[in-house]
Amino acid sequence: MFKAIISPRLRGFFFVGVVCFGFASTAPAQNNPAFYYAITNAAAKAGFDTSTLPSYASNPTFAEAVNAYFWGYPLEEMWRTQLNVLNNYGLSANQLFAPGVVNNSTTVVAPNLNVLNATSFLDLSGNNAFVLSVPNTTSTGTYNIMQMLNAYTDVTYSFGTRNFQTSALNNSGGNYLLVGPNYTGPTSFHDISLSGVVTNSTAQAWLIGRVQVDPYATSTLGGSNTPYNQLAGGATNAFSVPNSKTIVQSYAVTPLDDFRAGQTSSPITVSNPTSAQLVIASNNASTMTGQAFYQYVGTNVAYSGLNSVAGQTNNQAAMYANFSGLGFSSNGYTASTNAAVLSVMNSAASNAAAMLTKMGQNTTLLNTNVTTSTGWVVSTTAGSYSNTYDGWLNAAITAKVGLGANLAVDATYPQTTVDSSGNLLNGSQRYMMTFAPGNMPPVEAFWSLTVYDANGYVVSNTGNTFYGDNVYSLGSMQLMNILGTAYDTTSVSLLLQSEAPTDPALMPYWLPTPAGEDFELILRMYFPDGTNSTSSILNGTYTVPGVELVPEPSAVSLLLAGLAGLLASRRRKIVKFRSS
C-alpha cells in the first residue's frame, strides 16, 4: 500500500501550484550586497520585520550566510527530499515507485486528487544511463506527464501528452535515454530504438509522473454504486482508478545495459521500508536547520556541480565562489572551527528560514501582477529559473511552497484564499463559482478545483449522496460526464459550503468546505490551452471566475435549478480525452 507519510513540506510531489515573482533586478549577479538587499527587500514586502537585521557592511558573514541559504534552498530540499522519499518507501536510487492509488492523506500538503503518481530519483553521475519507458495512451487519451528535474529544481524535460500531442507521436509514448552532464558513452544503438536522448544538467535527477484519474468513477456509497459511478461507467471509465493504475504502472526506468539485453525494470508498487530506513526518513522529514542545512547544500554541489541554464550566462559559479569564506568549495562544505562564525551562520540560517516562510505565506504581496481582478493568483513562469537574483528567489520560494512544480505549459495552478471582494474564504459562509457558457477553463487535457484547509490539507467530509463520501475536488471529468454535449453551452455553478445542500439536484455541484475555518482553492489546469489568443490562461486572456459570496441558501437553489433537468435527461456517456 501507498504509505502517505511524507513530510508536509513535500507539497509539490503530489502537486500544488506555485507562484513566481519579480522581486529585484534580473541582471546577473555582480556583488553579494545586491543579492542580500534583494532578499531583505522581498522579505519586507511580504511583511517580515527586517529592521533588526544587520546591513551587509556591518556583518558580511551574516549576509553571506543568508545569501547562501536562499541560493542553496532548492539544493537542500532536493537532497533532503530524496533521502526522505526513498527511505519512507523502502526504495533505492534508480528505482521507480508507482503505487497506483489516489493519495487523499491528511499528512500530505495539497495532495492532487486527480492523478496517480510515479517517482524516481536517478543517479546520472559519470556514464550512468537509463531508459525511461513511457506508456502508449492513444486508445484511452489519458493525459500523462513525466517531468525530469535537476538538482536546482529546473524542469529538464516533460515526457507526455503535451509533447506527444503536438508531434507525430500522438500520445504514443516511447523509450528515452536519460544521461547526465558528464556522460561520454554512445547515444545511438543498432540493437534498440530510442525516441530521444535527454541530458540532465546535474547528476541528481528527479522523475515525477502524473496520470489522469477520476477518483469517483469507482466510488461507492454504503457499499453500493453511486449515481455518478453508474453515470460514469464505473471501472469501464477510461479514467477509473483501475485503468489509470495500469497506465502509471506501465512506466519503467531501466539501466541502459539491461534494456539493451532485452530487460525492462518493473516499477515498485508496494512500500516496504525497513526500520533503519524509517529512521533516516524521519531525520529528513523537514528542512534542515543551521549547519546541517549548509552541509546538505555543499553535499549536493559536490555531487551535482553548478547548474547551467540554456541560453543564459552562467553566474552560478561566480555566486557560489562568494560563499568560499563560509566554507563552501567544489568539494562541498567544511564548517568553520570558529565558534563565533558558526553562531553567526546559524543565526543567519534561522532568519533566512523565517524570511522565506513569510514570503511563502504572503506571495501576493511580492508582485501584484500575478493577482487577477477576481482574486486568483496565477503564475506562468514555474519550473525554470534564471541564474539571477530574481531566478534564485523564485526557485527558493517555489521549493518552499511547491517543490516539483511543472512547467506552466504542462500545468498551471491558479490559487486563491479570498472571495471576489477580497475577503478570506471561510467555511462559515456559502460561496459559488460560476462558469458562463463557453467559459470553462481552457485546457487541452482536464481541469479540477480542489478545496484545502488553511494549512493545505484536504477537508474530510461526508454526506454527498451523488459521488459518495470524501469529495475533495470537482472538474471537467465529472462535469463532462454529467452534462455531455451541454458542457460547452451551459452555465455551471459550483457550490462551496460546509453543509450538504438540501436540494438533491445540487449534490453533483457541491464541494465541501471546512466548517467555520478559512480555506484555500486550487484550480489545476493540465495542458492549458495557449493556442487560442482569446481564451488562454498562459497569455492572460482567460480570467478565472471569482468566488462569490451567497448569503441565502435559496439563492443557490434558484441559480442552479436549471442544471437539475440536465442530469435527469442526460444519456449515459463515458467521456474520454477531450481536446479543446
Side-chain angles (χ1 to χ4, degrees):
M1 291 296 292
F2 184 89
K3 297 179 69 177
I5 53 177
I6 290 183
S7 159
R9 286 295 331 121
L10 303 185
R11 183 175 180 130
F13 177 28
F14 295 97
F15 188 74
V16 64
V18 295
V19 182
C20 298
F21 308 90
F23 309 95
S25 169
T26 56
Q30 296 178 352
N31 53 66
N32 274 356
F35 187 38
Y36 179 63
Y37 296 142
I39 292 170
T40 54
N41 287 340
K45 278 187 177 182
F48 184 87
D49 181 9
T50 59
S51 63
T52 60
L53 299 180
S55 66
Y56 186 94
S58 66
N59 197 334
T61 299
F62 180 94
E64 291 283 6
V66 168
N67 290 347
Y69 189 97
F70 273 82
W71 179 89
Y73 188 83
L75 288 162
E76 181 274 343
E77 283 296 275
M78 283 288 283
W79 197 253
R80 179 191 64 79
T81 297
Q82 176 169 324
L83 291 172
N84 181 269
V85 171
L86 294 183
N87 289 284
N88 252 329
Y89 298 126
L91 307 172
S92 300
N94 308 325
Q95 291 181 322
L96 182 70
F97 183 52
V101 297
V102 176
N103 176 30
N104 58 7
S105 170
T106 56
T107 61
V108 175
V109 177
N112 188 337
L113 287 305
N114 301 111
V115 298
L116 299 183
N117 288 106
T119 190
S120 177
F121 286 91
L122 299 181
D123 173 11
L124 295 180
S125 60
N127 274 337
N128 288 350
F130 300 87
V131 175
L132 169 66
S133 299
V134 180
N136 185 324
T137 63
T138 302
S139 62
T140 59
T142 305
Y143 177 82
N144 64 98
I145 179 175
M146 176 72 79
Q147 64 176 140
M148 181 164 73
L149 296 95
N150 66 19
Y152 293 82
T153 68
D154 291 292
V155 176
T156 301
Y157 194 76
S158 300
F159 309 87
T161 298
R162 175 178 61 85
N163 286 325
F164 296 159
Q165 276 277 314
T166 55
S167 72
L169 293 174
N170 193 30
N171 219 28
S172 58
N175 298 309
Y176 293 84
L177 179 64
L178 309 182
V179 298
N182 299 316
Y183 180 77
T184 58
T187 56
S188 61
F189 309 88
H190 69 276
D191 53 342
I192 60 173
S193 176
L194 296 173
S195 301
V197 179
V198 178
T199 301
N200 200 46
S201 59
T202 62
Q204 184 187 33
W206 188 10
L207 295 176
I208 307 176
R210 300 170 177 86
V211 171
Q212 177 183 2
V213 68
D214 183 348
Y216 311 126
T218 52
S219 60
T220 60
L221 186 65
S224 302
N225 289 338
T226 66
Y228 179 75
N229 177 318
Q230 299 176 65
L231 181 69
T236 65
N237 185 293
F239 310 135
S240 68
V241 172
N243 286 329
S244 293
K245 178 179 179 179
T246 297
I247 293 174
V248 77
Q249 293 182 346
S250 296
Y251 280 100
V253 174
T254 308
L256 175 59
D257 290 344
D258 291 349
F259 191 81
R260 295 186 67 184
Q263 304 173 28
T264 301
S265 300
S266 299
I268 306 298
T269 60
V270 178
S271 172
N272 190 28
T274 65
S275 57
Q277 285 181 309
L278 289 177
V279 171
I280 296 173
S282 177
N283 291 338
N284 288 276
S286 57
T287 302
M288 295 290 109
T289 59
Q291 292 301 301
F293 177 93
Y294 296 118
Q295 187 66 58
Y296 271 41
V297 174
T299 297
N300 205 343
V301 169
Y303 173 63
S304 283
L306 294 170
N307 187 37
S308 176
V309 178
Q312 299 174 356
T313 301
N314 181 10
N315 299 292
Q316 290 279 44
M319 175 56 78
Y320 188 68
N322 289 323
F323 305 146
S324 61
L326 300 175
F328 289 94
S329 71
S330 60
N331 295 322
Y333 173 72
T334 302
S336 172
T337 57
N338 187 319
V341 171
L342 295 180
S343 178
V344 170
M345 288 185 66
N346 291 341
S347 175
S350 178
N351 278 274
M355 284 190 278
L356 185 55
T357 296
K358 184 64 72 171
M359 292 179 194
Q361 292 172 341
N362 297 291
T363 51
T364 57
L365 299 177
L366 296 176
N367 191 330
T368 56
N369 292 334
V370 299
T371 304
T372 68
S373 60
T374 54
W376 289 83
V377 176
V378 181
S379 168
T380 57
T381 57
S384 181
Y385 314 101
S386 62
N387 286 326
T388 62
Y389 304 143
D390 208 26
W392 293 322
L393 279 167
N394 284 338
I397 293 179
T398 301
K400 178 69 175 178
V401 303
L403 186 67
N406 278 299
L407 293 171
V409 292
D410 290 312
T412 301
Y413 310 93
Q415 298 168 277
T416 190
T417 58
V418 298
D419 62 21
S420 58
S421 298
N423 299 313
L424 286 176
L425 297 172
N426 188 279
S428 63
Q429 305 287 348
R430 295 182 176 88
Y431 304 91
M432 285 201 323
M433 185 175 174
T434 300
F435 298 95
N439 198 46
M440 293 292 192
V443 293
E444 297 288 344
F446 70 100
W447 62 267
S448 65
L449 181 72
T450 310
V451 176
Y452 301 99
D453 66 19
N455 295 314
Y457 298 108
V458 293
V459 179
S460 181
N461 59 81
T462 59
N464 194 303
T465 56
F466 184 75
Y467 296 107
D469 290 335
N470 294 324
V471 176
Y472 307 108
S473 64
L474 294 175
S476 56
M477 283 184 284
Q478 292 78 40
L479 294 178
M480 290 172 71
N481 275 318
I482 294 169
L483 303 175
T485 57
Y487 174 85
D488 290 311
T489 59
T490 301
S491 176
V492 175
S493 295
L494 296 180
L495 176 62
L496 299 121
Q497 61 183 46
S498 60
E499 71 279 9
T502 55
D503 185 349
L506 303 182
M507 283 290 183
Y509 311 99
W510 172 45
L511 265 177
T513 60
E517 299 179 10
D518 293 342
F519 65 90
E520 172 188 17
L521 296 174
I522 296 176
L523 176 65
R524 290 180 169 88
M525 299 173 63
Y526 283 96
F527 197 174
D529 184 3
T531 62
N532 183 350
S533 61
T534 62
S535 183
S536 169
I537 194 71
L538 296 179
N539 66 18
T541 53
Y542 178 78
T543 300
V544 181
V547 181
E548 304 292 339
L549 180 65
V550 182
E552 297 297 330
S554 59
V556 178
S557 296
L558 289 173
L559 286 168
L560 295 180
L563 292 172
L566 284 170
L567 183 58
S569 61
R570 168 79 172 90
R571 66 181 179 85
R572 186 170 178 239
K573 177 183 179 182
I574 300 176
V575 179
K576 294 188 177 182
F577 182 84
R578 176 180 181 271
S579 184
S580 59

